[in-house]
Amino acid sequence: MPQPIFSLKNVNHESKGKKLLIIKKFEMHRGATYVVDGNMGSGKTALIDILSRNIKVNSGDCEYEQKKLSSYSSRMYNDQVAVVPQTFKAPFGTVGKYLKKTLKKYSHISDPNRMIEDICRKMEIEHLLDRKMRELSPGQLRWVVLSANIAADTKVLLIDEIEQHLSRNNLNQLVKLLYRKSNYDGVTIVVTTQNKDLFSQRLASVTVTLESGRITSVRSANKKRKNYSHKK
């Protein structure tokens, strides 16, 4: 049995007295794409924040590669896990400078310029390279941030609210690229959405449904559904 890349056990997390996540046991495996679906306030962003180490759980065990998340240095963890959050404050400088600065942070990237050239071609953003980040539209900014984190070629890619600011054509283009990253490059991808029907059949290895912080169902790509006994 392959070892999971992420493992959550007896996780309870709350903020300001409100329970955000209650997960008895859940595992994520290498090279799979997890589409996490749920309404507003269901716990999707809290899950991404935990996996990205943006927040610490109040109780329970969270592991990455069979070691507690807290045991990794920020430098080591951030070298392996790329994150596209819902909110992103555009830095000063051009798109080209942002891409280069982002990719130079990763120890496994020896030629950032080649990676930039490749992702610019795939995401069709060559025309934006000389534009200032703070002058981009919300959709353009989101597309550039997605491009940088996909180009990072990390072991794990986390994307919160994948459809945010994107057109259907953009989403189709993105799904094709993420499918290849997962199925050909072996990247583990976790995305959240309020519109699973846009992605589950074309992208997901596993679709996870959250309701009030609890996992209520898990559906694999072969459409077999597992209902969790702890959903109430």
Side-chain angles (χ1 to χ4, degrees):
M1 184 72 178
Q3 294 293 327
I5 192 165
F6 284 113
S7 177
L8 306 177
K9 298 178 182 178
N10 297 318
V11 168
N12 284 273
H13 184 69
E14 63 180 53
S15 177
K16 298 179 181 179
K18 181 182 178 181
K19 292 185 177 180
L20 300 180
L21 276 181
I22 308 165
I23 299 177
K24 287 188 176 180
K25 183 178 180 180
F26 188 66
E27 296 177 344
M28 296 180 176
H29 293 270
R30 295 172 181 81
T33 298
Y34 292 81
V35 173
V36 183
D37 171 67
N39 293 326
M40 293 182 293
S42 59
K44 303 184 303 298
T45 296
L47 178 60
I48 293 294
D49 282 343
I50 288 169
L51 297 181
S52 64
R53 300 205 320 176
N54 189 41
I55 59 175
K56 294 182 179 179
V57 296
N58 300 120
S59 63
D61 294 321
C62 302
E63 296 183 349
Y64 170 72
E65 299 277 29
Q66 292 79 62
K67 293 173 60 178
K68 289 186 177 182
L69 288 181
S70 58
S71 68
Y72 291 90
S73 68
S74 294
R75 183 174 181 178
M76 179 181 293
Y77 196 75
N78 294 337
D79 200 44
Q80 299 183 29
V81 179
V83 186
V84 180
Q86 278 195 49
T87 58
F88 177 81
K89 184 177 180 180
F92 290 104
T94 65
V95 169
K97 288 182 178 179
Y98 163 73
L99 290 172
K100 191 166 186 177
K101 183 177 180 180
T102 299
L103 296 184
K104 286 179 72 174
K105 295 189 301 184
Y106 295 96
S107 64
H108 54 273
I109 295 181
S110 58
D111 189 352
N113 290 329
R114 183 181 64 81
M115 302 296 284
I116 291 171
E117 182 179 348
D118 183 60
I119 198 64
C120 284
R121 176 177 53 80
K122 290 177 178 177
M123 299 286 277
E124 300 177 355
I125 59 171
E126 296 96 336
H127 64 292
L128 295 177
L129 286 174
D130 293 328
R131 290 278 303 278
K132 292 181 179 179
M133 289 286 286
R134 295 196 169 190
E135 293 179 355
L136 299 178
S137 71
Q140 289 173 326
L141 180 62
R142 180 72 170 179
W143 198 243
V144 168
V145 175
L146 283 163
S147 299
N149 285 277
I150 292 170
D153 200 29
T154 48
K155 288 185 178 181
V156 178
L157 175 61
L158 309 174
I159 304 174
D160 196 12
E161 198 169 323
I162 184 174
E163 67 267 38
Q164 188 181 57
H165 299 308
L166 301 183
S167 68
R168 184 172 290 273
N169 286 338
N170 287 143
L171 287 173
N172 288 336
Q173 186 178 356
L174 180 61
V175 164
K176 290 177 182 178
L177 184 53
L178 294 179
Y179 181 88
R180 292 191 63 85
K181 292 297 292 184
S182 176
N183 289 274
Y184 294 92
D185 298 340
V187 177
T188 303
I189 300 174
V190 184
V191 306
T192 70
T193 181
Q194 295 184 52
N195 302 281
K196 67 178 180 181
D197 293 338
L198 293 175
F199 311 102
S200 56
Q201 294 184 352
R202 297 178 296 157
L203 179 63
S205 307
V206 181
T207 302
V208 182
T209 300
L210 282 173
E211 293 180 14
S212 301
R214 299 175 185 267
I215 296 176
T216 57
S217 69
V218 177
R219 171 180 274 184
S220 64
N222 60 13
K223 305 300 187 294
K224 291 182 179 179
R225 183 183 294 271
K226 177 179 178 182
N227 289 316
Y228 271 55
S229 59
H230 64 281
K231 68 180 181 179
K232 293 184 178 180

